[in-house]
Amino acid sequence: MQETVLILDFGSQYTQLIARRVREHKVFCCVLPYNTSLQKIKEISPKGIIFTGGPASTYEGKIKPCPEIFNLRIPILGICYGMQVIADILGGKVRKAKAGEYGNTGISVSTKTELFRGLPGDFVCWMSHGDSVLMVPDSFVKIAFTKNTDVAAMVDRERNIWAVQFHPEVVHTQYGKNIFYNFLYEICRCAGKWTMESFIKQSIKNIKSQMGNSKVVLGLSGGVDSSVCAILIHKAIGKNLFCIFADNGLLRKDEGKRVKEVFKRHFKMNLRYVDAGKRFLKKLKGVTDPELKRKIIGNEFVRVFEEEAKKIGKVEFLAQGTLYPDVIESCSAFGGPSARIKTHHNVGGLPEKMKLKLIEPLKDLFKDEVRQLGMKLGMPEEIVCRQPFPGPGLAVRIIGEVNKERLGVLREVDRRVIIEMKKAGLYRNLWQSFAVLLPIKTVGVMGDKRTYENVVALRIVTSEDAMTADWARLPYDLLARLSNQIINEVKGVNRVVYDISSKPPSTIEWE
Ligand code: XMP
């Protein structure tokens, strides 16, 4: 059984960060809602349990774990609200603090313990709390304090329950990584065998035994997730994996060609390349409404995929590159973002319609782990480090009608944006860098002649997870170079503007 640490999510914005910290120490972890049943916890049989922070107050009495969890004799680490809820349930006192603490705060260790082993007596931690533990439960002792918080950390040695008021998972806490290390290795006695190599070995074994001789179909998009997913499955079942690459004609320059080169020639995979550009463009003719564009593209994709899959013969499984953040979001007690701002294009609905069983071999991984995995599997860096690209492709970056001519213009601009960002060494640090073709023309002057041509907007953003984003503060010289190049070299463009909107309130894509 895989050594696992369980993270119980009390609604913290840092839950995923905690998971990352644990995995950085080579220990596998999973995130479940705070109210996960005792039965389920016993099934997982974790080496340790971490309670995250959260926005609730214990005296509201709602957000609590099942109290028997404390009798399991599994080491527990409570963080922020996680500490308060431990204190509250086990008989301590939690109240609104006289003075809350937010941001960098000096902390002093009052009792030396395994949790703070190797740390100095005083360090800086990052706090964010309005409530405090005023009195620890009987079985606990205080082990650290700050200027305003008497109980900044506590422990019940008997039951192996540890708790800190601060956030060791954020980089602003000095020695945060050491604290996790101590919890995992000194307290939980983990063996730390979670590495990419072990993941690959285990996954291949699982896929082989799960798939047997069945045929698996996968929609390859050229993006990181579906590509890594394909290569991993291919390693396990070889020619029984059938990848379908539906070229919707809305891709970036040479993208289809490159996918064929990499997957067919290099990895020698069963790749079915469907040149469906004309079909998509016909359906998109005259369509300007963004949601309608998305719907048309999504539906047409499903149709193409189904038609192609039928030709393969009896297929039992559909493989998808679902990642762990999606899994956490869909099973979290706190849910994901509530309002649907844009209909994301994916193969949703396909498994039921085609009566296929789903296989999602990346569903335990974070994005950067998927990238590491891709590298280990020998994927070209250019694919592993690719910036996200929306399913509906350039169609949502062409405001107004999508046609061959406008696609041609945008492709040429897009290519230059990417090349320049790479040349400047910025590509990997940017979340996305692309151009949007606007539905207006403006007057310009070139070689003493009047021009009346298109405007493109550059959308270049930094972000951690696409939930929020900011426009990149690029050097003026770089912007100037790019603008000159685009206007001089791309026929049909005589003006370049820079989008300086953050998300929210804007979104990253324009449609
Ligand atoms: P927005 O525009 O909503 O985009 O700020 C957030 C992130 O999602 C990407 N995006 C998509 N990805 N299918 C995808 O797979 C889609 O339909 C889609 N629409 C937007 C977008 O590029 C950004 O990274």
Side-chain angles (χ1 to χ4, degrees):
M1 196 165 176
Q2 175 154 261
E3 175 181 87
T4 303
V5 161
L6 172 62
I7 297 169
L8 288 185
D9 182 17
F10 286 81
S12 169
Q13 22 168 348
Y14 302 124
T15 300
Q16 293 197 21
L17 203 49
I18 298 174
R20 295 295 303 118
R21 293 287 170 261
V22 173
R23 291 190 181 192
E24 276 162 16
H25 285 308
K26 299 189 169 40
V27 175
F28 179 75
C29 61
C30 62
V31 178
L32 288 177
Y34 67 93
N35 51 2
T36 299
S37 71
L38 207 61
Q39 169 71 21
K40 175 87 188 161
I41 297 174
K42 281 183 182 162
E43 274 165 30
I44 296 170
S45 178
K47 290 285 278 186
I49 302 175
I50 299 177
F51 290 4
T52 73
S57 279
T58 53
Y59 38 83
E60 290 160 0
K62 286 195 197 121
I63 309 287
K64 293 192 175 177
C66 93
E68 291 87 19
I69 198 168
F70 300 112
N71 302 327
L72 289 175
R73 301 276 154 182
I74 297 172
I76 293 177
L77 172 66
I79 295 175
C80 195
Y81 179 80
M83 164 159 130
Q84 295 163 10
V85 85
I86 291 171
D88 181 67
I89 295 176
L90 297 179
K93 208 186 266 174
V94 180
R95 290 287 177 272
K96 191 154 193 58
K98 271 198 204 112
E101 284 172 315
Y102 301 92
N104 290 344
T105 311
I107 183 167
S108 303
V109 176
S110 50
T111 310
K112 284 198 168 171
T113 60
E114 298 91 299
L115 191 63
F116 298 138
R117 181 161 291 165
L119 270 63
D122 298 286
F123 59 98
V124 172
C125 68
W126 197 83
M127 289 281 197
S128 180
H129 66 116
D131 291 346
S132 281
V133 174
L134 294 192
M135 200 183 83
V136 300
D138 278 348
S139 52
F140 279 75
V141 289
K142 297 183 278 190
I143 53 172
F145 62 92
T146 70
K147 187 163 155 257
N148 292 316
T149 304
D150 188 32
V151 187
M154 61 180 197
V155 61
D156 173 344
R157 286 195 159 280
E158 187 61 31
R159 282 186 281 188
N160 222 354
I161 302 173
W162 303 76
V164 293
Q165 179 57 67
F166 60 90
H167 290 268
E169 70 275 24
V170 306
V171 287
H172 315 287
T173 292
Q174 284 181 320
Y175 311 105
K177 282 188 179 178
N178 307 51
I179 294 171
F180 279 106
Y181 179 91
N182 288 340
F183 178 66
L184 297 170
Y185 290 96
E186 299 281 343
I187 296 167
C188 302
R189 303 270 166 208
C190 288
K193 297 227 164 91
W194 164 258
T195 59
M196 240 351 121
E197 286 79 7
S198 67
F199 175 83
I200 294 175
K201 234 163 106 189
Q202 193 58 43
S203 304
I204 291 179
K205 207 168 127 201
N206 293 350
I207 296 169
K208 268 188 180 154
S209 73
Q210 203 189 339
M211 304 294 108
N213 236 340
S214 315
K215 287 182 179 164
V216 180
V217 66
L218 176 144
L220 200 61
S221 73
V224 186
D225 307 345
S226 66
S227 302
V228 175
C229 186
I231 291 172
L232 183 64
I233 299 176
H234 180 250
K235 263 208 166 351
I237 61 165
K239 291 285 179 193
N240 270 341
L241 171 70
F242 294 81
C243 293
I244 298 176
F245 182 81
D247 187 340
N248 54 15
L250 308 166
L251 303 171
R252 287 165 289 193
K253 192 163 171 144
D254 295 333
E255 209 165 357
K257 208 165 92 191
R258 189 75 185 117
V259 166
K260 268 196 272 188
E261 247 168 49
V262 171
F263 293 92
K264 206 162 187 151
R265 258 174 248 140
H266 181 70
F267 284 104
K268 310 221 174 324
M269 284 168 52
N270 249 333
L271 174 70
R272 292 173 166 255
Y273 179 90
V274 193
D275 188 359
K278 281 203 184 115
R279 271 174 79 157
F280 280 83
L281 277 193
K282 211 166 142 198
K283 292 262 172 193
L284 286 169
K285 196 164 189 300
V287 177
T288 56
D289 177 72
E291 274 301 282
L292 191 54
K293 275 186 197 173
R294 282 174 175 272
K295 254 186 216 122
I296 290 173
I297 296 166
N299 290 343
E300 199 56 20
F301 175 81
V302 170
R303 234 169 264 144
V304 172
F305 193 89
E306 264 186 307
E307 284 172 19
E308 208 51 38
K310 269 191 200 136
K311 296 182 193 159
I312 300 169
K314 188 168 165 34
V315 175
E316 270 183 61
F317 291 90
L318 173 74
Q320 272 186 346
T322 314
L323 303 193
Y324 199 44
D326 306 320
V327 177
I328 300 180
E329 211 154 75
S330 61
C331 78
S332 158
F334 301 90
S338 48
R340 178 154 290 279
I341 309 293
K342 296 172 189 178
T343 318
H344 274 213
H345 156 97
N346 54 33
V347 286
L350 254 183
E352 298 89 57
K353 217 169 152 202
M354 293 176 63
K355 301 197 175 51
L356 294 172
K357 289 180 243 167
L358 256 190
I359 99 155
E360 299 172 305
L362 309 182
K363 70 175 185 338
D364 284 329
L365 302 185
F366 288 98
K367 188 88 179 184
D368 54 329
E369 290 174 323
V370 171
R371 293 207 160 105
Q372 268 178 44
L373 174 61
M375 293 288 221
K376 286 263 183 300
L377 292 170
M379 279 177 62
E381 208 179 307
E382 152 221 340
I383 295 187
V384 174
C385 300
R386 183 168 274 180
Q387 292 175 351
F389 186 65
L394 299 180
V396 290
R397 295 177 180 173
I398 292 178
I399 315 304
E401 193 189 347
V402 182
N403 58 37
K404 209 170 155 200
E405 185 210 340
R406 301 188 79 207
L407 276 163
V409 171
L410 186 56
R411 261 188 205 116
E412 286 306 318
V413 178
D414 179 79
R415 189 171 75 85
R416 286 167 174 78
V417 177
I418 292 176
I419 291 175
E420 280 307 312
M421 291 308 123
K422 284 187 175 168
K423 263 201 221 156
L426 296 171
Y427 182 82
R428 284 217 204 168
N429 297 331
L430 295 165
W431 178 262
Q432 274 169 308
S433 39
F434 59 88
V436 181
L437 182 61
L438 306 192
I440 47 167
K441 292 196 167 191
T442 66
V443 173
V445 51
M446 274 177 118
D448 294 334
K449 279 207 187 100
R450 177 187 192 269
T451 60
Y452 188 56
E453 299 285 7
N454 293 294
V455 185
V456 292
L458 302 180
R459 184 63 167 148
I460 303 177
V461 298
T462 53
S463 172
E464 288 288 317
D465 52 11
M467 300 297 288
T468 61
D470 201 2
W471 55 280
R473 293 352 185 223
L474 292 183
Y476 285 164
D477 286 348
L478 174 59
L479 285 171
R481 211 164 44 239
L482 193 52
S483 158
N484 278 340
Q485 217 187 94
I486 293 168
I487 295 171
N488 287 329
E489 296 174 10
V490 183
K491 208 161 164 279
V493 177
N494 71 355
R495 191 176 298 270
V496 174
V497 295
Y498 194 48
D499 181 348
I500 51 167
S501 338
S502 65
K503 173 182 179 175
S506 301
T507 53
I508 299 177
E509 305 287 348
W510 277 38
E511 286 194 341

